[in-house]
Amino acid sequence: MRIGILTGGGDCPGLNAVIRAVVRKGLGEHGDEVVGFRDGWRGLLEDDAVPLDLASVRGILPRGGTVLGTSRTNPYGVDGGPERVLETLQRHRIDALVPIGGEDTLGVAARLGEAGVRVVGVPKTIDNDLNGTDYTFGFDTAVGVAMEAVDRLHTTGDSHHRTLVVEVMGRHAGWIALHAGMAGGATVILVPENPFDVDAVVEHCRHRFASGFSPIVVVSEGAAPKQGALTTSTGQLDAFGHVRLGGIGAALAALIEERTGREARAVVLGHLQRGGTPSQFDRVLATRFGLAAVDAVHDGQSGVMVALRGTDIVRVPLAEATAQLKLVPVERYAEAEVFFG
Ligand code: F6P
C-alpha cells in the first residue's frame, strides 16, 4: 500500500515518534511505501512531498518538533482547496492518509473522509483537549515543563515575597494549568472553563502571604474573569479562525500587585511548553498510536482516529472526536480547589 502522512497544527513533542512508527511498521511488516507531505495540509495543496524510508526516520524518536514541518493551513479555507488535495493524493497514488493533528487538522481529515478519502487520524496536541481519547501525546511533556517552572518559581517568589503568575497554554481547555498547578502546588489555578472571581484570587494570594509563603498563580491563556474583562487577545486570527491569545498573566499580575500591595511578576511559558524532547510517556503513546494507525489502515478502516482508553489503544469515529472539545470537568477543577490559598 501507499500511505500518506502529514503533521498539522501546532507542533508537539512526539510527532516524530508517530512518523517513525508508521514507517517502521508499514515498511517493515507490510512492505508499504510511505510518502510524507510537508507542513500539514499545505503539502497536499501544493504537492510538496517527500518519500519516507527507514533511513529517513533513524534517530528521530527523541527529537522534538516534526521532521515533516507543520502549518495551520486549512484547505477548506482556500478556493478549490479540497480538489487540489484530492489531485495530489491521486498523483501520488495514495491508498490511505494518516493525518496527525488536533481538532483543526482532524476536522479537515473527517471532511475528506466523508468525501471518500481513506483517512486514519492520530490525535496530537499539548492541550489534551481532543475528544474520544483519554490523553493526547505532547501533553505530558508540556505539563512536565510547566511543573518544573512552577517548582522553580516557588523558591524565587518566596525569597522576594512577591506573587508570581505563570501563564500556560490552553485556549479553550485548562488541562495544562490544572495538571501543572496541581503537580506544582499552585496557590490558585485559573482555567477557561471556569470564569474566575477576581476578589477570590486576591484573597487566596493574601492568605498565602499570611502563611509566610508567596503565591503562585497558574493561569491558562484563555482564562477570563467573571466580572469585566482583562484584555487577552492580540486580535489576530489563524486560518481556522482562532484568535491568538496572550496577556492574561501580565494583566492579572498588575491587578494582584495593586490589590495586595505586594510586588507581582508574570512569566509566560509560551512555546517552551511545545519545544524539545518528548517525555517517556509521550514517546510510548506516540509510538503506539503510529503502530495502531498502520493496523487500522491494513484492516481497511477509514474515518477513524486511534485513541487511548485506559491503557488500550482503540479506534473512534473521527466525526465524534472532532465534534466538540474535551474540557476540564467541574469535578476535576473541584479537586484542585481544595489546595487553593
Ligand atoms: O493548539 C496548541 C497550542 O499550543 C495552543 O495551546 C495555543 O493557543 C496555540 O497552539 C498557539 O499557537 P501558535 O504557536 O500558532 O501561536
Side-chain angles (χ1 to χ4, degrees):
M1 286 184 83
R2 283 176 65 81
I3 300 176
I5 186 167
L6 63 88
T7 53
D11 74 323
C12 166
L15 285 167
N16 289 325
V18 182
I19 297 168
R20 169 178 173 269
V22 168
V23 171
R24 290 287 293 268
K25 180 145 185 165
L27 269 71
E29 282 199 9
H30 299 283
D32 294 331
E33 289 171 305
V34 181
V35 178
F37 293 96
R38 290 198 183 91
D39 299 341
W41 297 113
R42 187 197 68 77
L44 274 161
L45 272 180
E46 298 175 12
D47 194 354
D48 190 355
V50 55
L52 295 175
D53 58 11
L54 291 177
S56 61
V57 297
R58 295 254 182 252
I60 67 171
L61 172 64
R63 248 169 81 185
T66 160
V67 292
L68 285 176
T70 187
S71 73
R72 294 194 186 273
T73 306
N74 178 5
Y76 285 95
V78 176
D79 237 3
E83 293 74 20
R84 276 160 63 189
V85 166
L86 295 180
E87 279 161 24
T88 307
L89 288 171
Q90 270 165 18
R91 201 172 303 124
H92 289 273
R93 295 175 288 108
I94 300 298
D95 300 301
L97 187 64
V98 177
I100 311 166
E103 45 148 350
D104 297 328
T105 305
L106 296 185
V108 171
R111 290 177 75 173
L112 287 172
E114 283 158 17
V117 178
R118 217 158 124 204
V119 283
V120 172
V122 175
K124 85 69 243 194
T125 164
I126 64 163
D127 297 342
N128 196 38
D129 59 0
L130 253 177
N131 215 12
T133 184
D134 288 353
Y135 286 100
T136 49
F137 67 85
F139 173 65
D140 184 69
T141 306
V143 170
V145 170
M147 181 196 73
E148 193 193 333
V150 172
D151 285 351
R152 289 176 183 278
L153 292 170
H154 272 299
T155 62
T156 172
D158 286 342
S159 304
H160 287 265
H161 318 292
R162 58 164 69 122
T163 303
L164 284 163
V165 179
V166 191
E167 182 181 312
V168 298
M169 282 188 171
R171 217 179 336 228
H172 306 292
W175 291 107
I176 297 178
L178 181 80
H179 279 230
M182 265 186 119
T187 310
V188 196
I189 299 167
L190 305 173
V191 297
E193 294 87 340
N194 196 13
F196 59 86
D197 180 65
V198 171
D199 294 337
V201 173
V202 171
E203 207 34 57
H204 288 314
C205 291
R206 286 201 185 113
H207 183 262
R208 179 73 177 169
F209 276 128
S211 74
F213 293 89
S214 296
I216 303 280
V217 178
V218 177
V219 57
S220 304
E221 61 185 343
K226 271 186 198 154
Q227 320 94 330
L230 292 173
T231 304
T232 60
S233 161
T234 59
Q236 293 160 293
L237 295 184
D238 69 19
F240 287 90
H242 301 299
V243 169
R244 190 168 296 163
L245 296 171
I248 183 72
L252 206 53
L255 195 144
I256 292 170
E257 177 167 306
E258 190 195 316
R259 299 273 304 271
T260 61
R262 307 251 199 151
E263 224 184 339
R265 299 287 175 86
V267 177
V268 181
L269 296 186
H271 295 85
L272 274 177
Q273 296 158 95
R274 291 220 308 244
T277 189
S279 67
Q280 66 80 19
F281 181 89
D282 285 337
R283 292 183 202 190
V284 173
L285 182 59
T287 298
R288 293 183 72 204
F289 278 161
L291 298 175
V294 174
D295 287 341
V297 164
H298 281 276
D299 285 350
Q301 296 279 311
S302 184
V304 296
M305 178 185 90
V306 295
L308 181 72
R309 291 272 170 87
T311 53
D312 296 331
I313 307 291
V314 300
R315 297 166 190 166
V316 298
L318 261 176
E320 178 191 316
T322 54
Q324 61 185 51
L325 287 176
K326 183 183 71 186
L327 301 178
V328 172
V330 177
E331 59 277 14
R332 286 298 311 275
Y333 190 70
E335 291 170 354
E337 276 181 310
V338 172
F339 301 93
F340 286 8

